[in-house]
PDB file of all heavy atoms in Angstrom:
ATOM      1  N   LEU A  15       2.990  -9.502  -5.868  1.00 98.00           N
ATOM      2  CA  LEU A  15       2.372 -10.260  -4.776  1.00 98.00           C
ATOM      3  C   LEU A  15       3.137  -9.958  -3.492  1.00 98.00           C
ATOM      4  O   LEU A  15       4.312 -10.311  -3.363  1.00 98.00           O
ATOM      5  CB  LEU A  15       2.411 -11.760  -5.086  1.00 98.00           C
ATOM      6  CG  LEU A  15       1.910 -12.682  -3.965  1.00 98.00           C
ATOM      7  CD1 LEU A  15       0.445 -12.398  -3.637  1.00 98.00           C
ATOM      8  CD2 LEU A  15       2.092 -14.145  -4.362  1.00 98.00           C
ATOM      9  N   ILE A  17       3.580 -10.638   0.374  1.00 98.00           N
ATOM     10  CA  ILE A  17       3.251 -11.689   1.329  1.00 98.00           C
ATOM     11  C   ILE A  17       3.592 -11.189   2.727  1.00 98.00           C
ATOM     12  O   ILE A  17       4.752 -10.889   3.016  1.00 98.00           O
ATOM     13  CB  ILE A  17       4.046 -12.978   0.998  1.00 98.00           C
ATOM     14  CG1 ILE A  17       3.684 -13.462  -0.426  1.00 98.00           C
ATOM     15  CG2 ILE A  17       3.763 -14.061   2.041  1.00 98.00           C
ATOM     16  CD1 ILE A  17       4.669 -14.455  -1.012  1.00 98.00           C
ATOM     17  N   VAL A  51      -1.373 -11.118   0.490  1.00 98.00           N
ATOM     18  CA  VAL A  51      -1.910 -12.259   1.230  1.00 98.00           C
ATOM     19  C   VAL A  51      -1.069 -12.505   2.478  1.00 98.00           C
ATOM     20  O   VAL A  51       0.042 -11.979   2.612  1.00 98.00           O
ATOM     21  CB  VAL A  51      -1.947 -13.558   0.381  1.00 98.00           C
ATOM     22  CG1 VAL A  51      -2.895 -13.427  -0.801  1.00 98.00           C
ATOM     23  CG2 VAL A  51      -0.557 -13.955  -0.072  1.00 98.00           C
ATOM     24  N   ALA A  52      -1.613 -13.320   3.364  1.00 95.00           N
ATOM     25  CA  ALA A  52      -0.939 -13.634   4.623  1.00 95.00           C
ATOM     26  C   ALA A  52       0.179 -14.655   4.400  1.00 95.00           C
ATOM     27  O   ALA A  52       0.264 -15.282   3.345  1.00 95.00           O
ATOM     28  CB  ALA A  52      -1.953 -14.187   5.631  1.00 95.00           C
ATOM     29  N   ASP A  53       1.015 -14.832   5.425  1.00 93.00           N
ATOM     30  CA  ASP A  53       2.062 -15.858   5.404  1.00 93.00           C
ATOM     31  C   ASP A  53       1.419 -17.216   5.674  1.00 93.00           C
ATOM     32  O   ASP A  53       1.700 -17.859   6.681  1.00 93.00           O
ATOM     33  CB  ASP A  53       3.115 -15.568   6.491  1.00 93.00           C
ATOM     34  CG  ASP A  53       3.780 -14.218   6.326  1.00 93.00           C
ATOM     35  OD1 ASP A  53       4.640 -14.082   5.450  1.00 93.00           O
ATOM     36  OD2 ASP A  53       3.407 -13.290   7.057  1.00 93.00           O
ATOM     37  N   GLU A  54       0.524 -17.631   4.802  1.00 95.00           N
ATOM     38  CA  GLU A  54      -0.153 -18.917   4.947  1.00 95.00           C
ATOM     39  C   GLU A  54       0.002 -19.673   3.636  1.00 95.00           C
ATOM     40  O   GLU A  54      -0.252 -19.122   2.567  1.00 95.00           O
ATOM     41  CB  GLU A  54      -1.657 -18.714   5.232  1.00 95.00           C
ATOM     42  CG  GLU A  54      -1.944 -18.266   6.642  1.00 95.00           C
ATOM     43  CD  GLU A  54      -3.431 -17.956   6.858  1.00 95.00           C
ATOM     44  OE1 GLU A  54      -4.268 -18.451   6.074  1.00 95.00           O
ATOM     45  OE2 GLU A  54      -3.724 -17.215   7.794  1.00 95.00           O
ATOM     46  N   GLU A  55       0.390 -20.946   3.732  1.00 97.00           N
ATOM     47  CA  GLU A  55       0.718 -21.696   2.524  1.00 97.00           C
ATOM     48  C   GLU A  55      -0.409 -21.695   1.499  1.00 97.00           C
ATOM     49  O   GLU A  55      -0.187 -21.414   0.318  1.00 97.00           O
ATOM     50  CB  GLU A  55       1.091 -23.137   2.889  1.00 97.00           C
ATOM     51  CG  GLU A  55       1.581 -23.910   1.691  1.00 97.00           C
ATOM     52  CD  GLU A  55       2.095 -25.287   2.067  1.00 97.00           C
ATOM     53  OE1 GLU A  55       1.256 -26.176   2.297  1.00 97.00           O
ATOM     54  OE2 GLU A  55       3.323 -25.462   2.126  1.00 97.00           O
ATOM     55  N   SER A  56      -1.634 -21.993   1.944  1.00 97.00           N
ATOM     56  CA  SER A  56      -2.737 -22.102   0.986  1.00 97.00           C
ATOM     57  C   SER A  56      -3.009 -20.763   0.302  1.00 97.00           C
ATOM     58  O   SER A  56      -3.346 -20.715  -0.883  1.00 97.00           O
ATOM     59  CB  SER A  56      -3.998 -22.610   1.687  1.00 97.00           C
ATOM     60  OG  SER A  56      -4.359 -21.706   2.724  1.00 97.00           O
ATOM     61  N   GLU A  57      -2.842 -19.674   1.035  1.00 98.00           N
ATOM     62  CA  GLU A  57      -3.079 -18.345   0.461  1.00 98.00           C
ATOM     63  C   GLU A  57      -2.030 -18.005  -0.596  1.00 98.00           C
ATOM     64  O   GLU A  57      -2.348 -17.461  -1.658  1.00 98.00           O
ATOM     65  CB  GLU A  57      -3.034 -17.274   1.560  1.00 98.00           C
ATOM     66  CG  GLU A  57      -4.129 -17.389   2.611  1.00 98.00           C
ATOM     67  CD  GLU A  57      -5.482 -16.949   2.072  1.00 98.00           C
ATOM     68  OE1 GLU A  57      -5.520 -16.152   1.118  1.00 98.00           O
ATOM     69  OE2 GLU A  57      -6.511 -17.420   2.606  1.00 98.00           O
ATOM     70  N   ILE A  58      -0.773 -18.326  -0.295  1.00 98.00           N
ATOM     71  CA  ILE A  58       0.311 -18.009  -1.231  1.00 98.00           C
ATOM     72  C   ILE A  58       0.173 -18.856  -2.496  1.00 98.00           C
ATOM     73  O   ILE A  58       0.271 -18.354  -3.615  1.00 98.00           O
ATOM     74  CB  ILE A  58       1.689 -18.247  -0.570  1.00 98.00           C
ATOM     75  CG1 ILE A  58       1.853 -17.332   0.655  1.00 98.00           C
ATOM     76  CG2 ILE A  58       2.823 -18.007  -1.568  1.00 98.00           C
ATOM     77  CD1 ILE A  58       3.056 -17.675   1.535  1.00 98.00           C
ATOM     78  N   ILE A  59      -0.096 -20.146  -2.298  1.00 98.00           N
ATOM     79  CA  ILE A  59      -0.240 -21.046  -3.455  1.00 98.00           C
ATOM     80  C   ILE A  59      -1.367 -20.559  -4.366  1.00 98.00           C
ATOM     81  O   ILE A  59      -1.209 -20.454  -5.587  1.00 98.00           O
ATOM     82  CB  ILE A  59      -0.498 -22.499  -2.991  1.00 98.00           C
ATOM     83  CG1 ILE A  59       0.775 -23.060  -2.328  1.00 98.00           C
ATOM     84  CG2 ILE A  59      -0.936 -23.387  -4.152  1.00 98.00           C
ATOM     85  CD1 ILE A  59       0.605 -24.462  -1.737  1.00 98.00           C
ATOM     86  N   ALA A  60      -2.503 -20.210  -3.763  1.00 98.00           N
ATOM     87  CA  ALA A  60      -3.649 -19.753  -4.559  1.00 98.00           C
ATOM     88  C   ALA A  60      -3.288 -18.486  -5.332  1.00 98.00           C
ATOM     89  O   ALA A  60      -3.571 -18.375  -6.531  1.00 98.00           O
ATOM     90  CB  ALA A  60      -4.852 -19.518  -3.655  1.00 98.00           C
ATOM     91  N   ALA A  61      -2.662 -17.540  -4.657  1.00 98.00           N
ATOM     92  CA  ALA A  61      -2.370 -16.255  -5.295  1.00 98.00           C
ATOM     93  C   ALA A  61      -1.376 -16.413  -6.446  1.00 98.00           C
ATOM     94  O   ALA A  61      -1.519 -15.778  -7.498  1.00 98.00           O
ATOM     95  CB  ALA A  61      -1.838 -15.265  -4.261  1.00 98.00           C
ATOM     96  N   VAL A  62      -0.378 -17.293  -6.267  1.00 98.00           N
ATOM     97  CA  VAL A  62       0.614 -17.499  -7.340  1.00 98.00           C
ATOM     98  C   VAL A  62      -0.051 -18.175  -8.547  1.00 98.00           C
ATOM     99  O   VAL A  62       0.138 -17.762  -9.697  1.00 98.00           O
ATOM    100  CB  VAL A  62       1.805 -18.342  -6.827  1.00 98.00           C
ATOM    101  CG1 VAL A  62       2.700 -18.788  -7.982  1.00 98.00           C
ATOM    102  CG2 VAL A  62       2.615 -17.536  -5.808  1.00 98.00           C
ATOM    103  N   LYS A  63      -0.856 -19.206  -8.273  1.00 98.00           N
ATOM    104  CA  LYS A  63      -1.520 -19.894  -9.386  1.00 98.00           C
ATOM    105  C   LYS A  63      -2.458 -18.953 -10.150  1.00 98.00           C
ATOM    106  O   LYS A  63      -2.519 -18.978 -11.376  1.00 98.00           O
ATOM    107  CB  LYS A  63      -2.316 -21.096  -8.859  1.00 98.00           C
ATOM    108  CG  LYS A  63      -1.432 -22.274  -8.468  1.00 98.00           C
ATOM    109  CD  LYS A  63      -2.291 -23.486  -8.108  1.00 98.00           C
ATOM    110  CE  LYS A  63      -1.427 -24.728  -7.898  1.00 98.00           C
ATOM    111  NZ  LYS A  63      -2.227 -25.877  -7.434  1.00 98.00           N
ATOM    112  N   ILE A  86       7.562 -18.789   4.852  1.00 95.00           N
ATOM    113  CA  ILE A  86       7.316 -20.017   4.086  1.00 95.00           C
ATOM    114  C   ILE A  86       7.156 -19.740   2.594  1.00 95.00           C
ATOM    115  O   ILE A  86       6.702 -20.598   1.846  1.00 95.00           O
ATOM    116  CB  ILE A  86       6.028 -20.708   4.586  1.00 95.00           C
ATOM    117  CG1 ILE A  86       4.847 -19.734   4.485  1.00 95.00           C
ATOM    118  CG2 ILE A  86       6.196 -21.211   6.020  1.00 95.00           C
ATOM    119  CD1 ILE A  86       3.505 -20.391   4.653  1.00 95.00           C
ATOM    120  N   SER A  87       7.549 -18.553   2.146  1.00 98.00           N
ATOM    121  CA  SER A  87       7.251 -18.181   0.759  1.00 98.00           C
ATOM    122  C   SER A  87       7.932 -19.084  -0.263  1.00 98.00           C
ATOM    123  O   SER A  87       7.304 -19.504  -1.241  1.00 98.00           O
ATOM    124  CB  SER A  87       7.629 -16.718   0.510  1.00 98.00           C
ATOM    125  OG  SER A  87       6.777 -15.874   1.253  1.00 98.00           O
ATOM    126  N   ALA A  90       6.141 -22.402  -0.427  1.00 98.00           N
ATOM    127  CA  ALA A  90       4.784 -22.291  -0.977  1.00 98.00           C
ATOM    128  C   ALA A  90       4.816 -21.973  -2.465  1.00 98.00           C
ATOM    129  O   ALA A  90       4.028 -22.528  -3.250  1.00 98.00           O
ATOM    130  CB  ALA A  90       4.005 -21.214  -0.218  1.00 98.00           C
ATOM    131  N   ILE A  91       5.742 -21.103  -2.878  1.00 98.00           N
ATOM    132  CA  ILE A  91       5.839 -20.761  -4.305  1.00 98.00           C
ATOM    133  C   ILE A  91       6.298 -21.993  -5.089  1.00 98.00           C
ATOM    134  O   ILE A  91       5.789 -22.283  -6.176  1.00 98.00           O
ATOM    135  CB  ILE A  91       6.782 -19.552  -4.506  1.00 98.00           C
ATOM    136  CG1 ILE A  91       6.121 -18.294  -3.922  1.00 98.00           C
ATOM    137  CG2 ILE A  91       7.109 -19.350  -5.985  1.00 98.00           C
ATOM    138  CD1 ILE A  91       7.047 -17.104  -3.758  1.00 98.00           C
ATOM    139  N   ALA A  94       3.313 -24.136  -5.575  1.00 98.00           N
ATOM    140  CA  ALA A  94       2.392 -23.577  -6.577  1.00 98.00           C
ATOM    141  C   ALA A  94       2.872 -23.881  -7.988  1.00 98.00           C
ATOM    142  O   ALA A  94       2.067 -24.068  -8.898  1.00 98.00           O
ATOM    143  CB  ALA A  94       2.268 -22.060  -6.381  1.00 98.00           C
TER     144      ALA A  94
END
Side-chain angles (χ1 to χ4, degrees):
Chain A
L15 175 61
I17 300 163
V51 296
D53 301 284
E54 285 175 21
E55 186 174 78
S56 60
E57 296 286 335
I58 299 169
I59 291 176
V62 169
K63 285 187 172 175
I86 57 167
S87 293
I91 291 167

